């Protein structure tokens, strides 16, 4: 079997459960790009994983015992299927990469259509086997969403298309509402399952005037609007706005779409004197790497200030961040700072919430905890 030797520091991390071996900790390589390798420190076998030549994380760990890669992947996927089915019946994240101890593998199930994304070189040759395993578990349609830029770092080509079955669109049920999902053309894997519990939580704020900023295909606004009230949606993406129209009709929501940049639209709404009972903010990850932290924090600060200004006295702010570089403490600090600047008193409803439970957090890989959702009362 091909082999990779690591230094003492990486050996310690692997024994603690880490799944990533950084390039500076690799001491020797007897392997080719994409190989399944035995990972050693001196004469001691530590683990097994895939090797990617030239990557800043050349070894991803998948097993500490079993040495057959397909046995590791398939038995883990079987276990995960049972676990995730205990959480959700119809639509769920079956495999959450590092969070579920399968680095670089994402599988989302949207009722009868699955999305598959592979971000590790060595995993790619198991693509067809994984698609068959998904079909064997009763999901007939499998869409490959291998179009994320992180594949380029692994030397993998970008592609998307249908791998199994005939359809790539479906309608899923979530709480009280339905969503039209296009797994092939939607963002990422088609739909943001990570916010599901928070969207359902938001249903209690139905009624009145609701502003859903960064709405994508309607997420929060559809949940609240379907139960009553008038929703203003703000979204930049053309394709997202098209799907949003369909979800508004599907759920009989009274809504209006403002296409454009969130900051520009929020400023325009302020000038027009529009005020809301609820504002939801769910921006894309504004901090994509460490260099972006300060710039990203300033944007979260600005967005939260504008949202607070747009609220009626006693209104509800639902503020999200999916940047794992922003800690929960710093996120709350930004919201607190925004409230101070706007002379508002804010109270968190209980606690900061996070990602849906099918998005497992694997503690030795802290970046698997990334979503933060703050539900707040905002008063003058
Ligand atoms: C995290 S997603 C929102 C998910 C949504 N809340 C849901 O529950 O499905 C962020 C959305 O913001 C949109 N977006 C990105 N930049 C934007 C901008 N400057 N102004 C408005 N929308 C933007 C993206 O197109 C994307 O649909």
């Amino acid at each position: 079997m091909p082999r990779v030797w690591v230094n003492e520091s990486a050996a310690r991390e692997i024994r603690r459960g880490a799944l990533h071996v950084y390039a500076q900790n690799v001491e020797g390589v007897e392997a080719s790009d994409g190989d399944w390798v035995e990972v050693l420190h001196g004469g001691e076998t530590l683990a097994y994983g895939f090797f990617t030549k030239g990557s800043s994380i050349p070894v991803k760990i998948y097993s500490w015992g079993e040495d057959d890669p397909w046995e590791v992947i398939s038995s883990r996927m079987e276990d995960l299927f049972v676990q995730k089915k205990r959480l959700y019946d119809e639509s769920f994240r079956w495999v959450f990469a590092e969070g579920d101890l399968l680095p670089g593998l994402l599988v989302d199930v949207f009722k009868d259509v699955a999305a598959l994304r592979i971000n590790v070189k060595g995993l790619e040759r198991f693509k067809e086997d994984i698609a068959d395993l998904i079909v064997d578990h009763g999901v007939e349609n499998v869409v490959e969403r291998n179009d994320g830029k992180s594949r380029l770092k692994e030397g993998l080509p970008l592609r998307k298309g249908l791998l199994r079955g005939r359809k790539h669109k479906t309608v899923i049920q979530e709480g009280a509402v339905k969503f039209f999902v296009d797994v092939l053309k939607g963002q990422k894997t088609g739909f943001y399952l990570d916010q599901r519990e928070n969207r359902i939580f938001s249903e209690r704020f139905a009624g009145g005037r609701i502003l859903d900023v960064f709405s994508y295909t309607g997420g929060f606004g559809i949940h609240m609007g379907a139960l009553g009230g008038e929703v203003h949606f703000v979204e930049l993406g053309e394709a997202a706005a098209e799907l949003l129209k369909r979800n508004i009709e599907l759920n009989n929501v009274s809504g209006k779409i403002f296409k454009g940049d969130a900051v520009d639209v929020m400023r325009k709404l302020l000038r027009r004197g529009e005020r809301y009972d609820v504002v939801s903010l769910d921006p894309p990850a504004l901090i994509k790497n460490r260099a972006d932290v300060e710039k990203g924090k300033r944007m979260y600060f600005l967005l939260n200030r504008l949202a607070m200004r747009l609220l009626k006295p006693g209104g509800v702010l639902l503020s999200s961040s999916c940047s794992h570089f922003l800690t929960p403490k710093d996120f709350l600090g930004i919201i607190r700072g925004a409230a101070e600047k706007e002379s508002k008193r804010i109270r968190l409803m209980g606690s900061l919430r996070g990602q849906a439970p099918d998005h497992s957090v694997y503690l030795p890989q802290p970046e698997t905890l990334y979503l933060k959702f703050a539900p707040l009362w905002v008063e003058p």
Side-chain angles (χ1 to χ4, degrees):
M1 186 182 289
R3 291 181 291 182
V4 172
W5 284 266
V6 299
N7 65 13
E8 178 54 37
S9 149
R12 208 170 35 241
E13 287 303 311
I14 292 171
R15 289 190 203 102
R16 285 182 181 156
L19 305 175
H20 290 172
V21 177
Y22 294 97
Q24 63 269 27
N25 294 331
V26 171
E27 289 187 329
V29 176
E30 268 177 23
S32 306
D33 196 17
D35 275 350
W36 176 254
V37 295
E38 180 180 0
V39 183
L40 300 108
H41 176 57
E44 181 195 356
T45 300
L46 297 166
Y48 299 89
F50 286 118
F51 172 67
T52 309
K53 197 175 166 195
S55 165
S56 58
I57 305 172
V59 180
K60 283 92 175 172
I61 305 289
Y62 292 74
S63 162
W64 293 264
E66 174 59 53
D67 64 357
D68 177 74
W70 179 240
E71 180 53 35
V72 171
I73 297 163
S74 59
S75 65
R76 184 97 208 115
M77 282 189 70
E78 299 280 355
D79 291 348
L80 289 169
F81 191 78
V82 175
Q83 289 173 358
K84 302 298 173 84
K85 275 282 192 179
R86 293 180 73 182
L87 298 173
Y88 297 110
D89 190 42
E90 187 202 74
S91 302
F92 51 94
R93 176 152 282 193
W94 179 348
V95 184
F96 179 40
E98 275 75 353
D100 281 328
L101 306 170
L102 285 175
L105 179 62
L106 285 181
V107 180
D108 280 345
V109 175
F110 302 102
K111 195 163 74 183
D112 50 352
V113 183
L116 166 61
R117 176 167 285 201
I118 289 174
N119 282 333
V120 166
K121 184 73 170 262
L123 263 183
E124 184 84 347
R125 67 176 181 278
F126 295 98
K127 184 171 82 181
E128 298 298 327
D129 297 312
I130 293 170
D132 286 339
L133 190 144
I134 293 170
V135 174
D136 289 346
H137 283 71
V139 189
E140 292 158 42
N141 306 285
V142 182
V143 175
E144 168 179 22
R145 284 302 307 261
N146 282 327
D147 52 331
K149 290 211 182 75
S150 50
R151 274 176 64 94
L152 300 174
K153 286 192 205 149
E154 289 280 310
L156 289 165
L158 304 189
R159 46 166 94 99
K160 59 178 183 174
L162 207 54
L163 286 178
R164 298 288 182 279
R166 293 190 327 181
K167 64 183 255 197
H168 58 84
K169 297 177 190 169
T170 193
V171 174
I172 63 167
Q173 183 79 38
E174 186 181 86
V177 302
K178 292 186 189 319
F179 284 107
F180 182 82
V181 179
D182 187 332
V183 180
L184 188 61
K185 300 203 182 117
Q187 293 178 15
K188 305 272 173 82
T189 58
F191 190 69
Y192 294 92
L193 287 172
D194 53 359
Q195 283 278 30
R196 169 190 6 218
E197 300 287 341
N198 299 328
R199 286 189 293 253
I200 293 172
F201 175 87
S202 77
E203 284 176 6
R204 62 195 79 200
F205 305 113
R209 303 189 79 233
I210 297 156
L211 182 65
D212 181 353
V213 189
F214 304 98
S215 64
Y216 186 46
T217 59
F220 288 93
I222 295 284
H223 273 276
M224 291 183 265
L227 297 171
E230 151 109 33
V231 188
H232 287 173
F233 296 94
V234 183
E235 171 58 47
L236 188 64
E238 279 294 325
E242 283 311 305
L243 289 174
L244 170 56
K245 272 187 210 151
R246 297 189 64 157
N247 286 329
I248 288 174
E249 283 165 29
L250 195 62
N251 294 283
N252 291 318
V253 170
S254 163
K256 191 168 165 195
I257 304 172
F258 294 84
K259 269 192 236 169
D261 171 67
V263 170
D264 292 347
V265 174
M266 286 166 90
R267 285 193 167 132
K268 196 169 90 189
L269 293 170
L270 272 169
R271 280 196 300 273
R272 276 177 26 180
E274 306 274 3
R275 294 296 179 270
Y276 299 89
D277 298 283
V278 186
V279 177
S280 166
L281 281 181
D282 186 15
L286 298 175
I287 308 175
K288 295 211 169 63
N289 51 56
R290 283 188 206 290
D292 279 352
V293 171
E294 289 312 312
K295 195 167 144 234
K297 280 184 176 173
R298 284 197 294 277
M299 185 49 103
Y300 283 111
F301 183 68
L302 173 62
L303 290 168
N304 280 281
R305 281 189 71 178
L306 292 173
M308 287 179 200
R309 263 186 241 168
L310 281 162
L311 278 170
K312 292 180 191 170
V316 170
L317 173 59
L318 305 174
S319 186
S320 304
S321 163
C322 59
S323 300
H324 77 80
F325 289 105
L326 185 63
T327 64
K329 187 166 170 261
D330 284 353
F331 181 53
L332 287 178
I334 287 169
I335 295 173
R336 182 181 166 178
E340 272 171 32
K341 273 278 180 206
E342 294 301 323
S343 305
K344 306 280 187 199
R345 260 127 295 273
I346 49 161
R347 285 173 301 134
L348 188 63
M349 294 177 206
S351 56
L352 190 64
R353 296 167 62 96
Q355 58 221 49
D358 50 354
H359 289 59
S360 322
V361 176
Y362 180 55
L363 298 179
Q365 295 283 146
E367 76 282 3
T368 55
L369 174 64
Y370 65 98
L371 186 65
K372 295 155 289 290
F373 174 82
L376 302 144
W377 303 113
V378 181
E379 287 159 329

